[in-house]
């Protein structure tokens, strides 16, 4: 038989974070009940925001900035 590739749904999410840019391309299986692009974009943005709140040295309110501002020792 013929070996045909079926076009799979995909989408791309781009943004800026941590002074840089990112691009994520998601290619879904043909038969899926996976979350839609808006739900996945929201999940990606939320995960990056959590890292930013914890680790950004540019945010005075980040966890790492508060630790660094504390007393030595």
């Amino acid at each position: 038989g013929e070996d045909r590739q079926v076009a799979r749904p995909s989408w791309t999410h781009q943004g800026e974070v941590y002074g840089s840019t990112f691009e994520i391309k998601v290619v879904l299986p043909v038969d899926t009940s996976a979350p839609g692009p808006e739900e996945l974009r929201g999940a990606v943005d939320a995960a990056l925001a959590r890292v930013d709140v914890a680790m950004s040295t540019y945010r005075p309110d980040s966890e790492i900035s508060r630790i660094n501002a504390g007393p030595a020792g």
Side-chain angles (χ1 to χ4, degrees), residues 8-40:
R8 295 180 356 193
S10 67
W11 56 270
T12 302
H13 180 45
Q14 300 173 337
E16 295 180 12
V17 67
Y18 319 127
S20 188
T21 60
F22 69 89
E23 178 177 297
I24 299 170
K25 182 174 183 179
V26 177
V27 179
L28 300 170
V30 175
D31 182 26
T32 183
S33 60
E38 291 307 314
E39 186 177 346
L40 291 172

Side-chain angles (χ1 to χ4, degrees):
E2 275 184 46
D3 187 19
R4 287 191 234 163
Q5 288 191 353
V6 176
R8 295 180 356 193
S10 67
W11 56 270
T12 302
H13 180 45
Q14 300 173 337
E16 295 180 12
V17 67
Y18 319 127
S20 188
T21 60
F22 69 89
E23 178 177 297
I24 299 170
K25 182 174 183 179
V26 177
V27 179
L28 300 170
V30 175
D31 182 26
T32 183
S33 60
E38 291 307 314
E39 186 177 346
L40 291 172
R41 283 184 184 105
V44 167
D45 290 343
L48 292 172
R50 286 191 303 273
V51 172
D52 192 44
V53 166
M55 302 302 294
S56 175
T57 56
Y58 297 99
R59 294 177 56 142
D61 63 334
S62 74
E63 291 177 37
I64 196 74
S65 291
R66 290 194 316 264
I67 290 169
N68 288 338

